[in-house]
Amino acid sequence: MDHNQMLQTVKERLPEKRYIHVLGVVDTAVDLAKKFFVSESKAKTAAILHDIAKFSDRDWMKSIIVSENMDPLLLEYHAELWHAPVGAYLAKTEFGVEDEDVLNAIRYHTTGRENMSDLEKVVYIADLVEPNRKFSGVEELRQLKEQGLDVMMEASVKHSIEFLESKNQPVFPDSLKCFKYFVQQKGKVKE
Ligand SMILES: Nc1ncnc2c1ncn2[C@@H]1O[C@H](COP(=O)(O)OP(=O)(O)O)[C@@H](O)[C@H]1O
């Protein structure tokens, strides 16, 4: 399926506001991909499909998490997290995406994880800072673009963790590991 066909399907499946968010993520991801020498085509595919399961039925998503042997810990956290790994499943089974890096960019776009690829970082960041996002601090995150992809990613996951903690919401361990990974990487550079 080509990008236009994917976009059309996403448009039919998501409410207008969420589709507008997807278009923002596509633009931002392609922009970041250009700047950081990541495949624009892969960034576009992952961005178009990243929220494809956002409105999927919860019981159905639960059954896919179990039957596809996804991380069982997901079921102990907010069901909002499920759309990312289930989205990767749909990207593969319904849209024919086979590239593991693209599938991982969809799979980890909400939590991040340790040792992310540049494509994964681009999609995670684009989801957080696309032009329709309005939270306090978003402009500062956008401006970190000039300091490099890792600086942007570390600040983005830090922001998400702090946001969840400020609301007394549990943070999925992958996000904490992701942040710790960047802190450790910086330590290694200094050694
Ligand atoms: N790293 C995380 N750990 C635990 N819960 C999370 C995490 N990230 C997001 N969530 C939960 O999932 C919800 C939706 O997240 P997300 O998909 O990033 O938001 P959006 O709907 O704005 O795209 C959040 O409001 C929060 O409740």
Side-chain angles (χ1 to χ4, degrees):
M1 200 184 278
D2 67 25
H3 285 145
N4 284 338
Q5 288 169 313
M6 284 181 187
L7 265 177
Q8 190 52 40
T9 309
V10 170
K11 186 176 185 182
E12 285 159 13
R13 209 164 300 176
L14 298 182
E16 193 184 3
K17 192 163 176 230
R18 186 52 54 167
Y19 179 65
I20 290 169
H21 161 70
V22 168
L23 295 180
V25 177
V26 170
D27 281 353
T28 307
V30 168
D31 196 45
L32 291 170
K34 272 186 199 147
K35 183 162 176 75
F36 296 114
F37 308 105
V38 169
S39 159
E40 287 171 47
S41 172
K42 289 186 188 190
K44 192 166 182 182
T45 306
I48 293 172
L49 296 177
H50 82 283
D51 267 348
I52 189 66
K54 187 79 183 172
F55 295 89
S56 294
D57 179 77
R58 281 192 184 183
D59 289 337
W60 177 76
M61 287 199 282
K62 201 172 192 173
S63 74
I64 295 298
I65 289 170
V66 173
S67 67
E68 295 297 311
N69 296 313
M70 294 175 185
D71 187 346
L73 199 57
L74 284 164
L75 299 177
E76 292 174 33
Y77 281 78
H78 208 296
E80 280 286 337
L81 290 180
W82 303 351
H83 76 281
V86 175
Y89 167 82
L90 284 179
K92 186 171 185 168
T93 55
E94 192 185 335
F95 294 83
V97 175
E98 286 182 351
D99 187 293
E100 261 318 303
D101 202 13
V102 173
L103 295 174
N104 283 333
I106 300 170
R107 193 171 282 132
Y108 298 106
H109 83 265
T110 305
T111 58
R113 63 164 174 166
E114 281 176 296
N115 203 6
M116 293 167 86
S117 72
D118 284 354
L119 178 66
E120 289 172 45
K121 293 172 197 164
V122 159
V123 175
Y124 181 98
I125 296 165
D127 182 37
L128 191 67
V129 307
E130 61 92 5
N132 302 292
R133 296 288 198 193
K134 305 283 182 226
F135 59 86
S136 137
V138 69
E139 200 44 50
E140 287 79 354
L141 288 175
R142 289 180 185 128
Q143 279 164 12
L144 290 178
K145 191 173 154 188
E146 298 316 318
Q147 296 185 43
L149 191 57
D150 282 355
V151 171
M152 233 187 159
M153 182 63 214
E154 181 183 337
S156 298
V157 75
K158 184 168 187 264
H159 171 92
S160 303
I161 292 169
E162 286 174 354
F163 176 76
L164 290 166
E165 285 175 344
S166 76
K167 302 230 161 214
N168 283 323
Q169 279 197 40
V171 180
F172 195 70
D174 277 351
S175 309
L176 298 169
K177 287 185 199 160
C178 176
F179 179 60
K180 206 169 156 195
Y181 179 83
F182 282 103
V183 174
Q184 283 169 345
Q185 287 301 106
K186 279 196 295 195
K188 279 185 196 152
V189 172
K190 277 186 210 136
E191 273 163 19

